[in-house]
Amino acid sequence: DTEVTQTPKHLVMGMTNKKSLKCEQHMGHRAMYWYKQKAKKPPELMFVYSYEKLSINESVPSRFSPECPNSSLLNLHLHALQPEDSALYLCASSQDSWNTGELFFGEGSRLTVL
Amino acid sequence: AQKVTQAQTEISVVEKEDVTLDCVYETRDTTYYLFWYKQPPSGELVFLIRRNSFDEQNEISGRYSWNFQKSTSSFNFTITASQVVDSAVYFCALSESPGTASKLTFGTGTRLQVTL
């Protein structure tokens, strides 16, 4: 079982909806990540939080809004999404963002935007 | 700019065959890290191995082995006596040197199908 838990596993939303994806880890990791993965493509980095502060935003549109309430939790707030935003959203964590160690990934939240 | 190339899009083998997944990378960093991740149908990426640029020793872990050759910028992955449970997409990835955020540059992945 993965030690990074993501909810919901599946989400269908309309373009005017507001929803959130949640991610939780209890490994004491201080870096957390959001990746987006389209079908048959590699994951693409969206955001990196290091010690609960946003350290990297890979030019992600503002309709995606990350939040890190504490070191164990990471949210991705979704608003006014487009159908092309449909993808698998993967959360990951690592010991910290300076040590190039392994990332632990969750199983992802599969998002469909109608 | 960093780049990872996995030329094999899909590979099909019969169980018990050996299979090698190729990975070629490009980077200007002298210190870098290479990774292999497995993505089964359930979706999560499972870490398999990390290798730093100063360690060219090959590694074996059970049925898995990795061949790192800096001279050819390759980090190939071999599964010996493949099993159906090995069916997955395998990603090779490259990371910048320590001191920066862990940004992984992934290859496009190789889908491995192992059949009975």
Side-chain angles (χ1 to χ4, degrees):
Chain A
D1 286 343
T2 181
E3 295 181 77
V4 176
T5 303
Q6 290 188 241
T7 56
K9 291 194 184 307
H10 299 274
L11 177 64
V12 179
M13 61 186 290
M15 291 189 285
T16 58
N17 292 157
K18 286 185 181 181
K19 297 286 184 182
S20 296
L21 306 180
K22 297 184 185 302
C23 176
E24 190 168 2
Q25 58 87 14
H26 294 289
M27 295 178 282
H29 289 172
R30 303 312 300 266
M32 296 187 77
Y33 309 74
W34 280 114
Y35 279 83
K36 174 182 177 179
Q37 187 178 25
K38 301 282 278 184
K40 298 190 176 183
K41 297 289 187 183
E44 296 176 352
L45 182 65
M46 299 175 73
F47 303 103
V48 180
Y49 272 84
S50 178
Y51 290 83
E52 300 159 47
K53 294 191 185 307
L54 183 64
S55 62
I56 291 180
N57 176 342
E58 291 286 283
S59 302
V60 178
S62 59
R63 58 185 183 269
F64 295 92
S65 176
E67 178 196 21
C68 190
N70 60 58
S71 60
S72 299
L73 292 174
L74 184 66
N75 298 322
L76 186 63
H77 302 299
L78 314 171
H79 174 54
L81 294 193
Q82 304 296 311
E84 58 264 29
D85 296 322
S86 298
L88 180 68
Y89 288 84
L90 293 161
C91 174
S93 70
S94 65
Q95 187 176 357
D96 57 56
S97 64
W98 291 83
N99 173 31
T100 318
E102 63 178 284
L103 298 187
F104 291 79
F105 283 85
E107 291 187 346
S109 293
R110 190 165 299 280
L111 173 67
T112 301
V113 182
L114 301 177
Chain B
Q2 299 183 118
K3 185 178 179 182
V4 177
T5 301
Q6 294 180 256
Q8 304 149 308
T9 306
E10 292 191 34
I11 301 176
S12 290
V13 298
V14 176
E15 202 175 42
K16 297 184 184 176
E17 285 185 14
D18 298 347
V19 58
T20 295
L21 310 182
D22 298 332
C23 174
V24 174
Y25 63 92
E26 296 175 29
T27 180
R28 293 180 180 173
D29 289 343
T30 55
T31 302
Y32 52 88
Y33 291 78
L34 295 163
F35 299 79
W36 276 95
Y37 280 86
K38 173 183 180 180
Q39 188 173 35
S42 54
E44 83 277 19
L45 279 88
V46 177
F47 168 82
L48 296 177
I49 190 170
R50 179 186 71 162
R51 174 67 75 229
N52 75 53
S53 53
F54 297 108
D55 182 2
E56 289 194 69
Q57 275 192 329
N58 291 330
E59 181 155 339
I60 298 174
S61 176
R63 297 184 297 107
Y64 295 169
S65 61
W66 290 270
N67 184 347
F68 176 29
Q69 293 201 344
K70 218 169 172 179
S71 60
T72 56
S73 297
S74 65
F75 187 42
N76 296 336
F77 172 31
T78 297
I79 302 175
T80 303
S82 60
Q83 299 177 0
V84 172
V85 293
D86 295 327
S87 298
V89 179
Y90 290 85
F91 290 99
C92 181
L94 173 67
S95 181
E96 297 172 350
S97 56
T100 59
S102 293
K103 293 177 62 173
L104 292 177
T105 299
F106 285 92
T108 50
T110 297
R111 181 176 299 274
L112 175 64
Q113 184 71 42
V114 182
T115 56
L116 294 172

